[in-house]
Amino acid sequence: ELARAREVASSGPMALIRLQWWREVVEGAVRSHPVAEKLTEALGAGTLASDELLGLIDAREAEAEGIETLADFHAYVRASAGGLARIAGKLLGVSEASGLGALEDLGTAYGIAGILRAAPALAAAGRTLLPESGMDRDGLIAEAWRLLGARPPESGIPAALPAVLAARDLRRLERDGQGAPGKDRGLGDRIAVWRAALRWRGGSVLRAGAVSGARAGPGGGGAGCIDAATTHPIDHDGAQPAPPRCLAPLTQHNASRRP
């Protein structure tokens, strides 16, 4: 609902009204709305924390008001996509600061890649989520790759799976030079996430060095990564890339765990 606020609103001020409606729900207002009712229950049970949800709403206000600088953009993506990944991690039982920080990094990378991917479609609609000044596309791509080197705890893997899509988006951006105007997620993306969910075990992690061996993760290796999931069996455009260099370490690591 927060992500839709600007999409369905006819203007920035109307989007702010929608966000304020949800802010009031988080602060205790009782509303007859299926999502609002479940949200009120979760807040009352202590499953969700109001301050964290209010942080997501604060972040989304940038979409209605415009993002001026590159620093503002980084703050917006970390608080929105990164903050959502952190919340998801807590719901999965992750409590360590390092684990939550890793999930936030992966969520932030997903947010950066997603915004770059959606840039053509947003531009066609007369909108942008990119900074008005100081825009550095190559720098954002490099930053997203760096963040994808984070190592989430195994219990938080479901919250980290969007990182699979981030890696695929970044690779396509580097290959094609643009995002995906008006294109929904394809079958290859869906299968990639599904395979990642099956393979991501025992501390294995999506590393920045995963994608076809084109990037080196921390330490220059990428051993234990899961890019078999991010590149196989099919790419978004139907092409089948070469197997990544990191597949063998992962296979060896998990061999004893497979039936």
Side-chain angles (χ1 to χ4, degrees), residues 11-229:
S11 64
M14 292 301 297
L16 290 175
I17 291 174
R18 294 180 69 92
L19 290 173
Q20 178 60 29
W21 192 91
W22 286 106
R23 183 184 297 278
E24 291 170 1
V25 171
V26 173
E27 291 175 341
V30 177
R31 299 281 163 78
S32 179
H33 181 284
V35 176
E37 291 169 358
K38 292 297 183 181
L39 182 59
T40 298
E41 290 178 11
L43 287 166
T47 306
L48 294 171
S50 61
D51 60 332
E52 292 177 336
L53 296 181
L54 291 174
L56 294 181
I57 295 172
D58 290 341
R60 290 291 177 178
E61 288 182 349
E63 298 178 3
E65 298 171 341
I67 301 171
E68 294 185 2
T69 68
L70 189 59
D72 293 334
F73 175 83
H74 281 295
Y76 152 69
V77 180
R78 182 162 288 277
S80 55
L84 183 60
R86 175 181 282 268
I87 292 173
K90 287 186 176 182
L91 291 174
L92 291 166
V94 180
S95 58
E96 303 86 356
S98 59
L100 292 172
L103 290 173
E104 184 176 305
D105 282 351
L106 293 171
T108 302
Y110 172 67
I112 292 173
I115 289 170
L116 291 173
R117 176 182 186 273
L122 288 174
R127 294 180 52 211
T128 183
L129 292 177
L130 296 171
E132 298 173 6
S133 63
M135 173 58 187
D136 179 6
R137 179 181 178 278
D138 291 341
L140 288 178
I141 290 175
E143 173 66 6
W145 279 121
R146 185 189 69 79
L147 293 169
L148 284 178
R151 300 175 67 90
E154 187 169 354
S155 60
I157 284 172
L161 287 174
V164 175
L165 299 176
R168 292 171 63 85
D169 287 345
L170 292 171
R171 188 179 51 168
R172 286 191 288 260
L173 286 163
E174 291 182 323
R175 181 189 66 200
D176 302 334
Q178 61 180 3
K183 186 179 289 185
D184 293 332
R185 292 284 177 189
L187 178 61
D189 283 340
R190 295 186 179 94
I191 292 176
V193 173
W194 177 74
R195 288 182 62 120
L198 294 178
R199 290 178 176 271
W200 208 336
R201 294 291 187 270
S204 299
V205 64
L206 175 64
R207 303 289 291 274
V211 179
S212 297
R215 298 274 178 170
C225 65
I226 57 149
D227 198 54

